[in-house]
Amino acid sequence: MKVIITGATGMVGEGVLLECLNNYAVEKVLMINRKPSAIKHPKLEELIVLDFMQLSRYAEILQDYDACFYCAGVSSVGMDEVKYTYVTYDTTLAFARALSEINPNMVFNFVTGSHTDTSENGKVMWARVKGKTENDLMKLPFRGQYNFRPGFMKPFKQ
């Protein structure tokens, strides 16, 4: 299996990355980052994409992957809804749409959060935005699309 991971420099993405690198069924991991990472591994390749809204420029590189784990994201603390929506919804959907056009046979996995509001009508801004993101990702023509809602993440040192 060949996988793409975003957000590998964050806590969630790093955990997904380490699991993929240690899994015998994963033969190749493409880490898509906005800035270079110091992580090195024989299975690992890195693609620097400064603007996730322009992912289609890299179509040739992204064709042969089986899955994407979209772990990129930010905390909503201190952000207004417009900016948080751009980062969480607009950027994620642009990235996913590009991948679905390049390879609709891929499985797209979105790491979201516990208490995400798929009604899109709740009082909690981040939960509404994440809910809209989940809803619209599920409409894309991937072979499969899954939303993971961890309730608690505990960092640990390796």
Side-chain angles (χ1 to χ4, degrees), residues 10-143:
M11 182 178 72
V12 174
E14 181 183 46
V16 172
L17 174 66
L18 293 174
E19 288 299 319
C20 287
L21 293 176
N22 290 323
N23 189 314
Y24 72 92
V26 177
E27 68 179 82
K28 181 178 178 182
V29 177
L30 178 64
M31 179 172 55
I32 299 180
N33 293 336
R34 291 185 182 105
K35 58 185 177 186
S37 167
I39 302 169
K40 304 291 182 214
H41 190 279
K43 291 188 199 180
L44 183 63
E45 291 184 14
E46 184 175 36
L47 175 64
I48 303 302
V49 177
L50 299 177
D51 183 359
F52 279 15
M53 302 292 248
Q54 304 297 319
L55 189 67
S56 59
R57 293 180 180 179
Y58 305 92
E60 285 186 35
I61 297 169
L62 304 171
Q63 289 178 357
D64 296 325
Y65 287 85
D66 303 296
C68 175
F69 293 94
Y70 194 92
C71 305
V74 296
S75 168
S76 65
V77 175
M79 293 183 85
D80 65 31
E81 188 163 352
V82 171
K83 184 168 184 165
Y84 185 73
T85 298
Y86 179 78
V87 173
T88 301
Y89 176 83
D90 298 332
T91 304
T92 304
L93 262 290
F95 190 97
R97 279 188 192 110
L99 278 183
S100 72
E101 291 170 9
I102 294 164
N103 183 0
N105 199 39
M106 178 182 291
V107 173
F108 191 87
N109 302 283
F110 178 55
V111 180
T112 178
S114 180
H115 306 295
T116 292
D117 178 10
T118 53
S119 79
E120 303 178 34
N121 295 315
K123 293 179 182 178
V124 180
M125 179 271 288
W126 72 263
R128 282 193 319 272
V129 173
K130 288 266 190 173
K132 180 171 177 52
T133 306
E134 283 187 11
N135 290 339
D136 289 350
L137 285 171
M138 288 189 283
K139 295 173 188 173
L140 295 177
F142 288 111
R143 178 170 54 93

